[in-house]
Amino acid sequence: MPKSDVYYIAVLGKALDILDVFAQAERSSLRLQEITELSRLNKNVVFRVLYTLAEHGYVVKRDSEYELGHKLLRLSNIRLRRKDLVAVVGPCLDRLREQFGETVNLGVLDAGQIRYVDVRESHHSFRLAERVGGSDLLHCTALGKAFLAFLPFDEARRLLAQHGMPRRTNQSITTITAMKVELDWVRKHGYAVDRAESMEGALCVAVPILDGQGTPVAAVSIAGPVVRFKESTVPVAAETLLMMASEIREQMDYSIEGEGKG
């Protein structure tokens, strides 16, 4: 590329050179000195570019090493997530609706919120239902918590800050400290539960769909009114969703090394 071209943006070129270092490296995480040597750029420039990329979610710093952030991975998978994934998940959503009789949702992360990309409404006249294309907050929804739990906590905190953590009901989690405890639980068990946190009288169970790097690209939930979709149903719903998530990953050819959940 002609780097002396009048249209060429030098600092952007350096950022792309640094991202190329990650693409060509044998390890997923690298130290600042390694990135400096491999990119052949000034160390101060590399540090500033990495800092900026991290601020925007394209790079994550863990202790003294850097690795690609979830936003870059999401961008690389956007077509897969919005088109191919919907096609693969569709039959699973139908099966879940028939088994539990409640509304089933497929959501993705979009601009710091959950975006509903597919919905199978319950056949009951009294039901919970979202519209395709609609959005919701992360902190008070099972879909949102399923996403947040499998992101680095610094990134989760940044996403939560975009729209805040308003109190929707008396059950809503509104502090970062309480949310960290909740996300630790979700990550340990593999699924998230919204117990009337977004809407009074509603119960929702969700699991993430993880790509080959263990990054959530989507989440699936079952949602219904507590008069019918009861707390005693949560273990069965969670187990079914986890099995379904494993099936979807297999169909999408996602392979996560060392994964401990189904």
Side-chain angles (χ1 to χ4, degrees), residues 70 73-74 150-151 209-218 256:
H70 82 281
L73 297 171
R74 287 209 315 273
F150 290 87
L151 295 173
I209 305 299
L210 306 177
D211 68 9
Q213 289 75 42
T215 301
V217 296
I256 304 175

Side-chain angles (χ1 to χ4, degrees), residues 59-109:
V59 166
V60 174
K61 184 179 181 183
R62 301 181 191 279
D63 297 324
S64 60
E65 296 193 339
Y66 296 85
E67 61 184 55
L68 296 179
H70 82 281
K71 185 178 286 188
L72 190 63
L73 297 171
R74 287 209 315 273
L75 286 175
S76 68
N77 286 325
I78 190 167
R79 177 180 177 275
L80 191 63
R81 185 174 70 243
R82 294 295 178 90
K83 184 178 179 181
D84 298 346
L85 185 61
V86 169
V88 168
V89 175
C92 297
L93 302 185
D94 289 332
R95 294 204 310 268
L96 287 169
R97 179 177 60 180
E98 294 310 308
Q99 179 176 348
F100 292 93
E102 303 297 346
T103 297
V104 184
N105 306 295
L106 173 66
V108 299
L109 187 61

Side-chain angles (χ1 to χ4, degrees), residues 32 44-57 59 61 66:
L32 174 62
N44 183 53
V45 170
V46 172
F47 174 80
R48 292 171 64 190
V49 169
L50 287 171
Y51 179 86
T52 304
L53 289 172
E55 284 294 299
H56 287 273
V59 166
K61 184 179 181 183
Y66 296 85

Side-chain angles (χ1 to χ4, degrees), residues 15 96 145 165:
L96 287 169
K145 291 189 289 184
M165 300 172 65

